[in-house]
Amino acid sequence: MPCLPSIQATDKRLKNYKIAIMPGDGIGPEIMQEAVKVLKLVEERNDVTFELMHALFGACAYFEKGEAFPQETKDICDQADAIVKGPIGLSHEESKKIPVDEQPERGALLPMRRRYNTYANYRPVFLPKGLAHFSPLKPQVIGEGIDIIMVRELVGGLYFGEKEVGVNEQGLRYVKETLEYDEAQIRQIMHHAFKLSSGRKKVLHNIHKSNVLKSSVLWNEIMEEVAVEYPDVKVINILVDAVATLLCLKPTQFDVMVMENMFGDILSDQGGGILGSLGLMPSACLGDDKAYYEPSHGSAPDIAGQNIANPYSMIGSIAMMLEYSFGMVDEAANVWAAMQEVFTDGYSTADLSKLDSSVTMISTNEFGDKVVGKLRAMPIV
Ligand code: IPM
Ligand code: MG
């Protein structure tokens, strides 16, 4: 895994960390269990203690407490130095059992993003050359490997704009959703993207749709203003629809990409697609005072409880927490390396082994156990 600059690291002298653990719904508890195994080993190997505070969040919280983001969960998250969250949500049919505004995405996830103002969402899209066989793209397209970080603005745009539903003068039902950003919101996400880019290849792709959207016109204006502060970073402006094509045709041209909320939601799932599985998509959601870490994918209710889900995204989210919230950059790199070694030994969970018959399929907890075995064998720097 690439080494990301630690721009969120808290005071490194603080060695006792409180971590809120919210397994979520569907495959969440299974993949969280593996992530917690890794976290416990990290605690054992390093001069840190982790106080894990378990909390209900999502549909499970709604069914048990009547709210998807109950007050006691808020209290735990408020106290925590970092939050680790599993995927949430139910199948389309099951969701209908919950009132629209309490459904976990609207009732828990968006309120959490807003509560902690976690505006900077880092979504690594990473596939080293040796794992090219997992990707649906041809090896010659993957070349030396894919190594992108998508920086998605997470608390603005259509997700949080005003909404109106009603019946118009012609008697037709209508809906209106607004896409709103102010310059401060754009500027703060740009600083994240530029700092990240400065510590990597110094090429920043700015994703927009300024030929249609006024929001993108302002977005690009602010981008130009902020760019002046980072003369070493080359900015490439590119339309969002063109990016969708280029991610398939030539993903290796991208390093850091910055985009607004909705574009980031869509393109990051495409990122999972070019890797071969959304199970390879961890993420960090960073605010100025609080951060939480979650897989970029959903709760996959269709495969829940079968011990076949890929815990990579959840364990990768732990690695991102070690780096960004606790400044444990070397140990984070070890966790990434441990996972890559499991793959290069020829193992993977069902999502990826289905794509390649030379890979031996292992279960969710076998994957976790192998990662733990690899990490245990790694020297502590
Ligand atoms: C994501 C997810 C969420 C989003 C859903 C669950 C609300 O798809 O984190 O990408 O749209 O942001
Ligand atoms: Mg999404």
Side-chain angles (χ1 to χ4, degrees):
M1 185 63 199
C3 195
L4 312 175
S6 273
I7 58 178
Q8 177 81 13
T10 50
D11 184 347
K12 288 185 189 161
R13 285 166 306 177
L14 174 67
K15 297 287 189 183
N16 307 307
Y17 299 112
K18 290 193 171 101
I19 305 173
I21 300 281
M22 312 196 298
D25 304 318
I27 58 170
E30 296 160 63
I31 60 175
M32 184 66 88
Q33 188 177 309
E34 302 315 307
V36 168
K37 273 185 198 165
V38 173
L39 198 52
K40 293 237 157 99
L41 177 59
V42 169
E43 182 182 36
E44 194 184 305
R45 280 162 51 88
N46 292 274
D47 189 18
V48 289
T49 58
F50 296 137
E51 185 187 333
L52 305 187
M53 306 182 295
H54 293 263
L56 288 171
F57 187 79
C60 56
Y62 177 79
F63 290 126
E64 203 153 307
K65 304 279 175 191
E67 277 177 290
F69 190 12
Q71 186 57 47
E72 54 210 87
T73 298
K74 289 180 184 149
D75 293 342
I76 288 175
C77 291
D78 287 353
Q79 285 172 40
D81 296 305
I83 301 165
V84 185
K85 179 201 143 282
I88 55 159
L90 298 172
S91 67
H92 188 68
E93 279 311 305
E94 285 293 302
S95 279
K96 292 183 186 157
K97 296 182 181 160
I98 304 184
V100 173
D101 286 331
E102 270 305 319
Q103 286 170 2
E105 296 82 354
R106 263 181 295 264
L109 188 55
L110 300 187
M112 184 166 81
R113 288 175 181 172
R114 191 197 290 268
R115 183 177 184 89
Y116 300 119
N117 193 25
T118 53
Y119 61 88
N121 182 204
Y122 293 8
R123 299 195 155 180
V125 182
F126 178 63
L127 197 72
K129 187 180 183 178
L131 302 183
H133 54 287
F134 287 145
S135 170
L137 304 182
K138 294 192 174 81
Q140 61 266 36
V141 174
I142 295 182
E144 293 306 303
I146 299 174
D147 183 0
I148 302 170
I149 298 189
M150 293 188 179
V151 178
R152 169 188 178 192
E153 199 291 327
L154 200 60
V155 298
L158 280 173
Y159 276 61
F160 291 91
E162 269 176 41
K163 296 170 200 299
E164 192 179 291
V165 185
V167 178
N168 67 15
E169 283 161 8
Q170 291 86 46
L172 300 172
R173 285 172 293 169
Y174 78 93
V175 60
K176 191 154 99 188
E177 311 207 73
T178 45
L179 197 172
E180 194 175 333
Y181 277 107
D182 67 30
E183 60 178 294
Q185 284 177 295
I186 302 172
R187 195 164 280 121
Q188 63 185 3
I189 190 73
M190 289 302 176
H191 280 295
H192 268 267
F194 274 104
K195 283 182 186 147
L196 206 45
S197 192
S198 272
R200 290 174 49 107
K201 292 192 185 149
K202 303 187 190 331
V203 176
L204 174 58
H205 280 87
N206 174 42
I207 316 304
H208 67 94
K209 185 73 185 173
S210 69
N211 52 353
V212 175
L213 300 177
K214 284 283 184 66
S215 54
S216 282
V217 173
L218 180 64
W219 180 273
N220 290 352
E221 267 173 41
I222 306 300
M223 155 56 88
E224 280 182 25
E225 289 169 20
V226 177
V228 174
E229 296 177 46
Y230 302 88
D232 58 329
V233 175
K234 179 174 183 226
V235 176
I236 299 176
N237 296 295
I238 185 161
L239 290 163
V240 62
D241 46 352
V243 169
T245 311
L246 292 171
L247 272 173
C248 297
L249 297 181
K250 203 177 169 221
T252 52
Q253 72 189 284
F254 298 110
D255 184 54
V256 179
M257 304 167 77
V258 63
M259 60 205 87
E260 68 89 43
N261 202 347
M262 188 83 207
F263 295 166
D265 180 44
I266 297 167
L267 289 182
S268 60
D269 266 31
Q270 192 181 347
I274 63 173
L275 300 184
S277 171
L278 275 173
L280 296 180
M281 291 290 293
S283 85
C285 308
L286 310 176
D288 291 335
D289 305 314
K290 190 77 106 182
Y292 84 92
Y293 300 85
E294 64 176 356
S296 299
H297 56 74
S299 62
D302 51 325
I303 59 161
Q306 297 175 37
N307 197 20
I308 60 171
N310 190 344
Y312 179 101
S313 57
M314 199 73 249
I315 300 172
S317 300
I318 293 283
M320 294 184 92
M321 173 181 72
L322 295 177
E323 175 160 10
Y324 293 116
S325 282
F326 307 151
M328 297 173 69
V329 180
D330 296 327
E331 190 68 334
N334 286 337
V335 173
W336 288 118
M339 290 202 287
Q340 299 307 331
E341 282 186 19
V342 175
F343 288 136
T344 46
D345 283 356
Y347 298 103
S348 95
T349 41
D351 50 335
L352 291 165
S353 58
K354 271 194 307 227
L355 300 172
D356 187 337
S357 55
S358 69
V359 174
T360 305
M361 184 166 84
I362 53 176
S363 64
T364 309
N365 51 45
E366 283 168 333
F367 188 92
D369 289 344
K370 283 189 186 296
V371 174
V372 163
K374 293 287 184 190
L375 182 61
R376 204 180 282 287
M378 284 181 184
I380 303 168
V381 188

